[in-house]
Amino acid sequence: MINADLLSEIRGKFAHVDACPFNGPRVFFENAGGALTLNSVVETSARFAAIPDNQGRANVASLALVDIIKEAKAAASDWFNVTDGQVIVGESGTELLFRLIRTSIAGTDGGVLIGSTVEHPASCSAMSYWADKLGRDYCRVPHDDTLGLVTAEAYAKVITADTKVATILHTSPVTGMAMDLNAICAAIRAVAPECFIIVDGIQHASHGLVDLEAAGVDGYVVSPYKVFSRHGYGVAWVSDRLTALGPENLINGPEANWEFGTRDTGAYATFHDVVDYFDWLGGQVGSSETRRGRIEDAGAAIKIQEKALTDAMLHGTGNLKGLAEMKDVTIVGGVDNPAREGLVCFWAETVPAAEIVAALNAEGIRTHVRKADHYSGNILNPLGQSAAVRVSMCHYNSEAEVARFLGVIAQVLDED
């Protein structure tokens, strides 16, 4: 677990770590809705917002912006662990998933499209829309309601040789469980080696290592505001063979180009800040001499820290009972689930989820209610629940904050 001195240094790198700018001191356990923002990102955003120049001009400022983007792409490539393909930015993670999925489906003839029932609508909506428009078969692999995830074995039962496009959710923002991405990709490739695989990595990005060389996918998408940057853009890596299908381009414009219009240099620069943070953290917890090695060390430390936090929330800390010990509380995905990444989702039979969230908020603890709507109904409806409480943490949260949560929730649920 990250020691107290390092945790204090980590927390000092983030804005509004323990207080809301609108209503004062609070514990931030709503990281799945958007992680805290690095102070460096705030500074970088302001600096680049003031620059009037665009890329592609014959002046020093323009050339500098081009270099900044090039350096940011190289840093992002290390973070994704790729040596080819393209790093691109777009409007949002959802928009990029739609573009990558649209290009994959439109660029392949016939065959089957595969997804899963655990997925966020950002990917399954795009798959469903284009399957309907282009007359393609779309099959969704059922997830395990008890575990809150979909397995490689479940994919293997559905994959056929004519599967052309497959989508995978790396981590669920509702259950908090990570899929075994490498195993699912291997199951797909074993039967349909030319299948295009697009991954929604939006929830996973802040909680665990991204290793696309090991996974062997064709597209991976993140939303930077969920991994310590800001709103207003998405980042994706796209394989060369996906690009070869031919994304939309301007007539007579550059080929193999995914980005329309002038890109925000500040978007690239702030994602570079994110990679720099992982690089720095890895240097504090490990001894690697390469940026990728330090990123891997940071990922390992993050997973250890977040497991300690979720274990404390589930099993208690000090003399405080954990959620798993409280009467009438059910944990989505089960209590001791090794796939959990920094998130505990639960409901109580005695108090509605919305009331729990409101009571916690009144005591300065920010959580979120997930309702059985178009975002979370795929998870909650099979469990017979209309809503659940989502408590989402990141490595910069502390065990003291977990203890604060447990003390308040015991009162809300009238625990003795």
Side-chain angles (χ1 to χ4, degrees), residues 194-209:
E194 298 304 312
C195 177
F196 287 90
I197 301 176
I198 311 299
V199 182
D200 174 353
I202 293 170
Q203 175 65 21
H204 177 77
S206 67
H207 299 289
L209 201 62

Side-chain angles (χ1 to χ4, degrees), residues 225-249:
Y225 77 95
K226 289 196 176 187
V227 60
F228 320 138
S229 189
R230 58 173 171 81
H231 287 84
Y233 72 107
V235 172
W237 174 82
V238 188
S239 72
D240 290 331
R241 75 186 202 104
L242 178 52
T243 298
L245 291 181
E248 303 99 323
N249 276 300

